[in-house]
Amino acid sequence: QEGVDLSCVDTRGITTPTTFLLSQAGSDERTWMIEEHAFYHPASDLLPTSKFAYIDVYEEHIEERLALIERWSRANVRCLVNLSATHIEEKVKLLAPIPSIDTIQIGGGKGVDESRVWGRDIFQMCNAKAVIITLGNLGAVLVDQHDSYHMPAEPIQPLRTIGAGASFTAGFLSALAQDVTYKEAVIF
């Protein structure tokens, strides 16, 4: 609604790859492009001015990304950390010492019951207020201080699933910005 906060983009700093997918309507043909884009360096004094900060924890520049999450945590910035799809256990161990993370999001390939256990383990290891594991057509599992919840997905016939995780995150953050509970945000 208020636009994208670009205050943390330093075009003179180090870069991190950004992947773009080009997909033609009515076709399953895909073209991938990888571009180098600036990644904010944590030595700067800039902090996000929006309600939430979002960051993907890829393996590239992981030390810089962790330092940025640490800095946001100490500044009480609400941060959603997406652990992407690889090296989840190692990333969780690296996040464990950070004082406060609002939400950890993971794309899961496990079933609902396994994801509840896995989410509880991650919740207990990290200082997060919530852990969300998205499960594609199975929906999502949310773990917070109260319990673990499974929210089934709406039954649809998707044309493609590209961008589904990013769309989920956008909806989740939009709902949280309206001061709803984590459970209500996941349902939204």
Side-chain angles (χ1 to χ4, degrees):
Q1 253 177 334
E2 297 174 13
V4 176
D5 177 4
L6 298 177
S7 64
C8 291
V9 176
D10 176 5
T11 57
R12 297 158 298 161
I14 60 174
T15 61
T16 186
T18 301
T19 305
F20 296 93
L21 165 69
L22 305 175
S23 179
Q24 293 188 6
S27 169
D28 287 334
E29 192 171 324
R30 301 172 182 169
T31 303
W32 296 92
M33 295 181 351
I34 298 176
E35 297 280 333
E36 292 288 328
H37 284 276
F39 181 75
Y40 167 73
H41 193 279
S44 171
D45 290 330
L46 295 173
L47 284 172
T49 57
S50 54
K51 272 191 172 182
F52 296 94
Y54 172 92
I55 189 165
D56 286 305
V57 178
Y58 298 118
E59 288 73 36
E60 297 85 14
H61 306 294
I62 195 162
E63 295 83 15
E64 290 89 349
R65 292 170 192 270
L66 291 167
L68 184 55
I69 296 166
E70 172 85 24
R71 188 162 189 286
W72 286 346
S73 172
R74 296 200 183 282
N76 295 317
V77 174
R78 291 185 75 182
C79 183
L80 187 146
V81 178
N82 185 339
L83 298 187
S84 72
T86 58
H87 308 306
I88 301 296
E89 289 77 17
E90 292 89 351
K91 292 174 186 176
V92 167
K93 288 176 187 171
L94 292 170
L95 290 174
I98 295 177
S100 175
I101 297 170
D102 193 274
T103 308
I104 295 175
Q105 180 179 344
I106 305 162
K110 303 176 183 207
V112 173
D113 293 336
E114 293 165 301
S115 294
R116 284 179 186 258
V117 172
W118 191 38
R120 181 61 58 197
D121 290 345
I122 293 169
F123 183 83
Q124 290 173 350
M125 282 183 70
C126 296
N127 296 305
K129 293 184 177 98
V131 174
I132 298 169
I133 302 172
T134 54
L135 301 171
N137 64 353
L138 294 177
V141 166
L142 165 69
V143 176
D144 65 15
Q145 75 244 10
H146 305 292
D147 206 348
S148 65
Y149 312 91
H150 171 241
M151 278 66 79
E154 293 288 327
I156 63 166
Q157 189 65 27
L159 295 175
R160 293 178 187 82
T161 58
I162 295 166
S167 296
F168 173 87
T169 303
F172 175 78
L173 288 176
S174 176
L176 273 187
Q178 306 303 315
D179 295 321
V180 302
T181 67
Y182 291 105
K183 186 177 179 184
E184 291 168 327
V186 171
I187 292 168
F188 176 79

